Amino acid sequence: KMAAGDNSGRPPCLNFSCPGPLGNSQPSNSVFSMPASNGNPQLGPGGTDSNGVSTGAQPTAQNSLQQSAAAGAAAAGAMATPASNMATGAASNATQAAAPSAPPAAASVLVYREPVYNWQATKSTVKERFAFLFNNEVLSDVHFLVGKGMGVQRIPAHRFVLAVGSAVFDAMFNGGMATTSTEIELPDVEPAAFLALLKFLYSDEVQIGPETVMTTLYTAKKYAVPALEAHCVEFLKKNLRADNAFMLLTQARLFDEPQLASLCLENIDKNTGDALAAEGFTDIDLDTLVAVLERDTLGVREVRLFSAAVRWAEAEAHRQQLQPTPENKRKVLGKALTLIRFPLMTIEEFAAGPAQSNILTDREVVSLFLHFTVNPKPRVDFIDRPRCCLRGKECSITRFGQVESRWGYSGTSDRIRFSVNRRIFVVGFGLYGSIHGPTDYQVNIQIIHTDSNTVLGQNDTGFSCDGSANTFRVMFKEPVEILPNVNYTACATLKGPDSHYGTKGMRKVTHESSSTGTKTCFTFCYAAGNNNGTSVEDGQIPEVIFYT
């Protein structure tokens, strides 16, 4: 016997094997053979008979996909232990599949089997003849012992067919170190997945489902069959949803499938809240958690990200057999904790949650409270760059035709009222900087619903300018939705030296998309009241940065 691909460090796979077309049917030299114990032809995975006809209900896609993910991770030998309920359900299936059927009764009715002799005459095409040889003892010259323990299956195959379909098998049988063994052990491969691979090599037929897709993907990669890999990835793409995005992202990273990983991340961006609430979120590994928290495009408030990270830390502490103390949660989070953007929270959110969690140090809590309440703001060890979950290209409009000097500040807001003709999301303003060289400014920006005087978005922050007449970006913590034909007031309260300002302002400014031709029209009006002097004709807030 030869052990092929046996990685001794790998944990055993869960067994999803079944008899039948993807099982281990043994043709006989006799025209008759004994039936299965129930007197019916043996059934394959998902209830198919020997002709591939469906005879039973399929397992649910979600549960089966979770089981397949657990088995695929075990096969790859590179993942943390999957959730216990997944593993328990999969192990139960494996035990049932591996259990031998009861011996046939002596009086069982004999079932006719196709005769081995002259079988070629009944097959009119090469494809039919090779498909007949799949999992068939006829002309077989090698056997594979697939799986481990009680789940091992002995599967017949044909060296020529395997070598034609796989460079790995070609090297195994015909290379410089080719084996002459007629029995080859594959303890790290699932029988059902190996049979799906053989089915594809013998007939180009794809037989994958939620319960086998992960182990089949692993097997296709192991034996270098990219066409079957592509079918597995396509199947996963079609079944991608918010509630399994994290699970599939982990598998995509494990199996080095960047396209699938990218789709998972996009799904998480669009449905961040639902993805974080899914059961599979707490089963991901630390590297996957870090990869997600690094993104600027997550569509969820930062306080919810913190709560989700704490839930993950509790599960990870349990996996590492640690008490879920604040110290151990901080330990298992590691780099991930530094990727939570605490400065994007409101002071109320921070005070009610992170400040009382004991996961942050006293120094970190104090520095963040100071960041929320004083100016100039002290440096904090956490990212304050806003996340923006919006898709498409960032746009901006400039409402002034010329730049002049000088514009002074005395603690009063510069304001301009505006409306638009279509729904957009404002993400920030472009502001003028100092006429006296490089300078730092403290600034509070706001968008107010004019009629109700409700603050829809704000950020109390700072920016650095280089002394030029350019504008400098100041962004909101979250995108602000702007509805068509509604009046809003843009506000900027700066603390710093005299700045440049704009003149030759325009009452109407239109932005036209270069790709779609869609026009977004801004209409500006003077904002009365507590105004530092900005108007339609001149002043501050020269740019509005937005997404359509």
Side-chain angles (χ1 to χ4, degrees), residues 232-288:
C232 292
V233 172
E234 191 62 30
F235 181 90
L236 292 170
K237 290 178 185 176
K238 290 179 180 178
N239 286 276
L240 174 62
R241 301 185 304 276
D243 59 356
N244 63 21
F246 273 109
M247 178 189 69
L248 292 184
L249 175 60
T250 300
Q251 299 294 320
R253 288 167 56 84
L254 174 65
F255 291 125
D256 190 25
E257 290 290 344
Q259 186 182 23
L260 177 60
S262 178
L263 289 173
C264 291
L265 288 169
E266 288 181 13
N267 189 287
I268 291 169
D269 285 344
K270 295 176 182 178
N271 308 283
T272 311
D274 291 339
L276 292 175
E279 184 178 347
F281 166 71
T282 56
D283 297 322
I284 66 176
D285 60 294
L286 178 60
D287 289 342
T288 301

Side-chain angles (χ1 to χ4, degrees), residues 452-474:
S452 66
N453 203 34
T454 303
V455 177
L456 303 178
Q458 67 175 334
N459 193 11
D460 194 6
T461 182
F463 70 95
S464 298
C465 65
D466 57 10
S468 70
N470 297 327
T471 57
F472 301 92
R473 292 162 59 94
V474 181

Side-chain angles (χ1 to χ4, degrees), residues 138-317:
V138 174
L139 301 180
S140 66
D141 53 3
V142 66
H143 286 80
F144 292 91
L145 301 179
V146 186
K148 281 187 176 181
M150 297 297 292
V152 171
Q153 288 192 29
R154 189 173 186 270
I155 299 173
H158 307 77
R159 294 170 185 253
F160 170 73
V161 178
L162 300 189
V164 168
S166 161
V168 175
F169 283 126
D170 190 18
M172 183 186 297
F173 299 131
N174 305 311
M177 300 181 67
T179 179
T180 58
S181 175
T182 59
E183 283 197 344
I184 299 172
E185 294 180 352
L186 302 179
D188 65 320
V189 177
E190 282 292 312
F194 190 71
L195 285 160
L197 174 71
L198 295 189
K199 186 73 172 177
F200 185 76
L201 295 180
Y202 278 78
S203 65
D204 285 335
E205 291 184 29
V206 179
Q207 290 196 353
I208 56 175
E211 73 282 359
T212 59
V213 61
M214 290 299 183
T215 50
T216 303
L217 176 60
Y218 167 77
T219 308
K221 281 184 168 290
K222 177 181 175 69
Y223 292 104
V225 185
L228 184 57
E229 286 182 44
H231 283 294
C232 292
V233 172
E234 191 62 30
F235 181 90
L236 292 170
K237 290 178 185 176
K238 290 179 180 178
N239 286 276
L240 174 62
R241 301 185 304 276
D243 59 356
N244 63 21
F246 273 109
M247 178 189 69
L248 292 184
L249 175 60
T250 300
Q251 299 294 320
R253 288 167 56 84
L254 174 65
F255 291 125
D256 190 25
E257 290 290 344
Q259 186 182 23
L260 177 60
S262 178
L263 289 173
C264 291
L265 288 169
E266 288 181 13
N267 189 287
I268 291 169
D269 285 344
K270 295 176 182 178
N271 308 283
T272 311
D274 291 339
L276 292 175
E279 184 178 347
F281 166 71
T282 56
D283 297 322
I284 66 176
D285 60 294
L286 178 60
D287 289 342
T288 301
L289 179 64
V290 167
V292 171
L293 293 179
E294 285 176 335
R295 294 177 68 77
D296 289 331
T297 47
L298 299 177
V300 70
R301 293 195 62 80
E302 212 67 22
V303 68
R304 288 192 64 187
L305 274 183
F306 174 76
S307 298
V310 171
R311 279 198 298 116
W312 179 89
E314 291 173 352
E316 181 64 14

Side-chain angles (χ1 to χ4, degrees), residues 473-500:
R473 292 162 59 94
V474 181
M475 310 301 284
F476 289 100
K477 291 183 177 182
E478 292 182 330
V480 181
E481 182 181 25
I482 303 297
L483 299 177
N485 306 314
V486 177
N487 288 322
Y488 299 90
T489 303
C491 306
T493 308
L494 279 77
K495 292 183 181 179
D498 293 350
S499 74
H500 293 88

